[in-house]
């Protein structure tokens, strides 16, 4: 399987496991899980037929580790980034002093005024890695890397959680905790 095909499948999984499960007729449970067999069957019925082995390959080789299997591999879910209501069950965690957020440069002035807002997602996504974060920002144009004073935020009482794929999650980042480029 080539990278283009893996990317196409990954994008479709992101769509149905994070945003539009009804598109193929699946229902996520309260924690975002769906049975693998049901997912594969409904994907096939919608013209996106893949095998369990291909699903395993896409999940295991996804650079951003967007998806996870349950311990028995009977269920699958997206690790974060949902726009549908789910409770991923992540617990509060102390973040590193500095985290990063990548965005398109055209959004910097708005962020300077309002801070980082979760918009239509459950949380603002932050990373401990500047390089990966800059790549995320480049998806929507010229990238800008924002440095987040996560340690200060946490000491001020703001809650952080970390997803199973290492992404740091918080409700919002007020402008005073952002170092702009």
């Amino acid at each position: 399987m080539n990278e283009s095909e893996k990317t196409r499948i990954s994008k479709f999984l992101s769509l149905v496991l994070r945003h539009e499960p009804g598109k193929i007729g699946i229902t996520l449970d309260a924690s975002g899980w769906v049975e693998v067999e049901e997912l594969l069957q409904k994907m096939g019925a919608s013209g996106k037929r893949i095998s369990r082995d291909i699903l395993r390959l896409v999940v295991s080789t996804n650079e951003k580790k967007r998806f996870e299997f349950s311990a028995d591999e009977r269920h699958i879910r997206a690790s974060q980034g949902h726009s549908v209501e789910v409770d991923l069950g992540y617990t509060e965690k102390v973040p590193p002093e500095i985290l990063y957020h990548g965005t398109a440069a055209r959004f910097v002035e708005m962020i300077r005024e309002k801070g980082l807002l979760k918009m239509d997602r459950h949380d603002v996504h932050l990373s401990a890695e500047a390089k990966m974060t800059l790549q995320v920002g480049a998806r929507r144009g010229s990238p800008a890397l924002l440095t987040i004073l996560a340690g200060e935020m946490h000491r001020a009482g703001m809650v952080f959680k970390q997803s199973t794929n290492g992404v740091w999650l918080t409700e919002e980042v007020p402008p005073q905790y952002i170092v702009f480029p």
Side-chain angles (χ1 to χ4, degrees), residues 93-172:
K93 194 170 179 182
V94 177
E97 282 298 309
I98 300 294
L99 291 171
Y100 301 95
H101 181 83
T103 190
R106 69 180 182 273
F107 298 132
V108 169
E109 284 311 309
M110 181 182 70
I111 294 168
R112 209 181 282 278
E113 292 174 26
K114 298 180 180 183
L116 287 168
L117 307 173
K118 62 184 179 175
M119 308 303 274
D120 62 349
R121 298 209 178 164
H122 287 240
D123 295 287
V124 173
H125 295 183
L126 305 171
S127 175
E129 293 182 39
K131 181 182 176 188
M132 178 65 76
T133 307
L134 202 53
Q135 291 172 350
V136 170
R139 292 183 310 184
R140 295 196 173 105
S142 178
L145 181 65
L146 306 178
T147 301
I148 310 303
L149 305 175
E152 285 184 33
M153 284 179 62
H154 186 261
R155 287 187 292 279
M158 293 175 202
V159 174
F160 286 82
K161 297 177 182 180
Q162 190 176 30
S163 68
T164 54
N165 64 350
V167 173
W168 286 90
L169 309 168
T170 191
E171 285 276 320
E172 67 176 309

Side-chain angles (χ1 to χ4, degrees), residues 8-179:
R8 186 184 65 75
I9 293 168
S10 177
K11 285 184 177 190
F12 187 76
L13 288 172
S14 287
L15 175 68
V16 299
L17 294 177
R18 293 165 80 179
H19 308 297
E20 296 181 38
K23 185 171 184 75
I24 61 170
I26 61 172
T27 302
L28 306 179
D29 74 10
S31 299
W33 297 103
V34 64
E35 287 187 17
V36 170
E37 286 306 316
E38 179 185 2
L39 174 69
L40 293 173
Q41 187 270 323
K42 299 280 176 95
M43 284 179 68
S46 72
K48 309 278 189 199
R49 185 172 306 280
I50 64 169
S51 69
R52 182 181 279 270
D53 287 339
I54 289 175
L55 180 63
R56 268 192 210 102
L57 178 68
V58 169
V59 170
S60 68
T61 60
N62 184 272
E63 190 175 282
K64 296 179 183 175
K65 302 292 181 207
R66 285 191 167 122
F67 316 104
E68 62 183 309
F69 285 112
S70 59
D72 62 6
E73 288 196 11
R74 291 182 49 217
H75 296 84
I76 187 172
R77 73 177 180 181
S79 300
Q80 89 282 326
H82 297 78
S83 59
V84 296
E85 191 61 39
V86 294
D87 178 4
L88 298 171
Y90 299 141
T91 58
E92 185 175 342
K93 194 170 179 182
V94 177
E97 282 298 309
I98 300 294
L99 291 171
Y100 301 95
H101 181 83
T103 190
R106 69 180 182 273
F107 298 132
V108 169
E109 284 311 309
M110 181 182 70
I111 294 168
R112 209 181 282 278
E113 292 174 26
K114 298 180 180 183
L116 287 168
L117 307 173
K118 62 184 179 175
M119 308 303 274
D120 62 349
R121 298 209 178 164
H122 287 240
D123 295 287
V124 173
H125 295 183
L126 305 171
S127 175
E129 293 182 39
K131 181 182 176 188
M132 178 65 76
T133 307
L134 202 53
Q135 291 172 350
V136 170
R139 292 183 310 184
R140 295 196 173 105
S142 178
L145 181 65
L146 306 178
T147 301
I148 310 303
L149 305 175
E152 285 184 33
M153 284 179 62
H154 186 261
R155 287 187 292 279
M158 293 175 202
V159 174
F160 286 82
K161 297 177 182 180
Q162 190 176 30
S163 68
T164 54
N165 64 350
V167 173
W168 286 90
L169 309 168
T170 191
E171 285 276 320
E172 67 176 309
V173 180
Q176 66 266 33
Y177 298 106
I178 303 172
V179 177

